[in-house]
């Protein structure tokens, strides 16, 4: 085959392979991490931890009650609260660092940031409601106002096979997990990290198209070479 015609065939083969990869294979390729993690999802005893950032205005008792009654529930724990105020100057930053631990004896672990965020870690058996009430009472006494918003951090542990069910419940309350950890998520992340970027995958399918085209063009030559090779091997054995 003339070189120009061969080049045209290879270009067309690449385009067909790339287009086929982009429209038919890429959607399947993208679902590979989900398919692989499905195995871990159905292993008995596997657990996933969902990390939640909840508005303090949410009815926490109602949410806890609904979650605990759902099959696959293991535990729900409030771990901390974040109270955004205003951007502190150096004096205010030092003041809140000094005073925060004195507002409530349960504020043993906390962090104050320069942008005005008070991050309080909750002790076991100490609820976000109690922590926020202590701060609200102090804030009203000192500043004569009330805090307008706070965020509650929680950890929800569920069986791996029930994750989607709990995500749907959380969505009904306007909550999206900020992070998830466990065998299913770990498998998903590991598989996803090994995949080629979509653009490279399309290029790879185009390259496969070129290889197939080359094999088709030179199939007869390959066949002749194979027959000659087999014949020579048989002759060597006879000797």
């Amino acid at each position: 085959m003339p070189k120009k015609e061969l080049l045209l065939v290879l270009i067309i083969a690449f385009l067909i392979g790339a287009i086929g990869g982009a429209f038919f294979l890429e959607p399947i390729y993208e679902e590979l991490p989900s398919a692989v993690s499905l195995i871990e999802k159905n292993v008995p005893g596997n657990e996933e931890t969902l990390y939640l950032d909840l508005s303090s205005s949410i009815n926490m008792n109602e949410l806890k009650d609904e979650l605990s009654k759902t099959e696959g529930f293991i535990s729900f724990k409030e771990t901390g609260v974040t109270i955004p105020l205003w951007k502190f100057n150096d004096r205010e930053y030092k003041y809140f660092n000094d005073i925060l631990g004195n507002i409530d004896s349960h504020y043993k672990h906390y962090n104050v940031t320069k942008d005005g965020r008070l991050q309080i870690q909750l002790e076991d058996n100490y609820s976000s409601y109690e922590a926020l009430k202590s701060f609200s009472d102090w804030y009203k006494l000192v500043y004569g106002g009330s805090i307008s918003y706070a965020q509650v951090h929680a950890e929800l542990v569920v069986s791996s096979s029930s994750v989607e069910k709990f995500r749907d419940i959380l969505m009904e309350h306007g909550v999206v997990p900020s992070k998830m950890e466990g065998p299913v998520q770990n498998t998903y992340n590991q598989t996803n990290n090994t995949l080629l970027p979509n653009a490279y995958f399309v290029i790879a399918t185009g390259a496969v198209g070129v290889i197939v085209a080359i094999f088709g063009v030179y199939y007869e030559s390959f066949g002749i070479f194979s027959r000659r090779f087999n014949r020579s091997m048989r002759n060597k054995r006879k000797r």
Side-chain angles (χ1 to χ4, degrees):
M1 181 181 290
K3 290 183 178 180
K4 288 184 178 180
E5 292 183 11
L6 177 60
L7 181 60
L8 181 61
V9 168
L10 296 181
I11 291 173
I12 293 173
F14 177 83
L15 292 175
I16 292 174
I19 292 171
F23 288 96
F24 299 105
L25 297 179
E26 189 176 354
I28 299 172
Y29 187 69
E30 289 177 341
E31 290 300 318
L32 188 59
S34 298
V36 173
S37 62
L38 188 63
I39 299 171
E40 291 288 350
K41 188 177 290 187
N42 293 301
V43 174
N46 276 357
E47 301 176 358
E48 302 294 312
T49 301
L50 284 70
Y51 295 88
L52 312 177
D53 296 322
L54 311 164
S55 169
S56 58
S57 62
I58 197 169
N59 190 324
M60 201 68 64
N61 290 330
E62 181 183 309
L63 178 62
K64 285 180 185 176
D65 186 59
E66 187 173 355
L67 293 172
S68 62
K69 290 179 180 177
T70 304
E71 184 180 358
F73 174 84
I74 296 174
S75 67
F76 180 89
K77 178 184 177 183
E78 297 175 52
T79 58
V81 295
T82 297
I83 306 170
L85 296 178
W86 60 85
K87 189 173 182 178
F88 297 148
N89 56 37
D90 291 341
R91 183 179 58 80
E92 291 169 332
Y93 174 71
K94 183 178 184 307
Y95 172 70
F96 275 96
N97 259 310
D98 293 340
I99 199 65
L100 196 55
N102 298 323
I103 294 173
D104 190 316
S105 60
H106 295 282
Y107 293 0
K108 293 187 181 296
H109 303 285
Y110 58 86
N111 181 51
V112 180
T113 65
K114 278 289 185 74
D115 63 353
R117 299 169 69 85
L118 312 180
Q119 300 165 334
I120 302 168
Q121 183 180 335
L122 298 178
E123 294 182 342
D124 292 339
N125 302 318
Y126 192 63
S127 69
S128 59
Y129 173 81
E130 294 171 300
L132 291 173
K133 186 177 185 306
S134 295
F135 184 82
S136 295
D137 291 344
W138 172 85
Y139 189 84
K140 187 173 183 179
L141 181 66
V142 175
Y143 289 94
S146 59
I147 57 174
S148 57
Y149 175 79
Q151 197 173 57
V152 178
H153 309 292
E155 294 177 5
L156 172 64
V157 182
V158 301
S159 64
S160 296
S161 59
S162 304
V163 169
E164 295 306 320
K165 191 189 307 180
F166 284 92
R167 276 181 165 169
D168 291 341
I169 294 173
L170 293 170
M171 187 64 72
E172 291 174 3
H173 290 268
V175 178
V176 177
S178 58
K179 187 174 68 170
M180 189 171 84
E181 290 181 348
V184 173
Q185 190 64 33
N186 292 341
T187 302
Y188 181 92
N189 292 340
Q190 289 168 5
T191 305
N192 196 48
N193 290 336
T194 60
L195 297 182
L196 291 171
N198 290 348
Y200 291 156
F201 176 75
V202 172
I203 292 173
T205 57
V208 171
V210 171
I211 294 171
V212 172
I214 292 174
F215 182 79
V217 170
Y218 292 103
Y219 175 75
E220 187 174 346
S221 299
F222 289 145
I224 294 171
F225 173 79
S226 177
R227 286 193 295 272
R228 287 179 178 174
F229 178 78
N230 291 334
R231 192 181 302 121
S232 67
M233 291 300 292
R234 284 196 299 270
N235 292 334
K236 285 182 179 179
R237 290 194 194 99
K238 288 178 182 178
R239 292 173 189 170

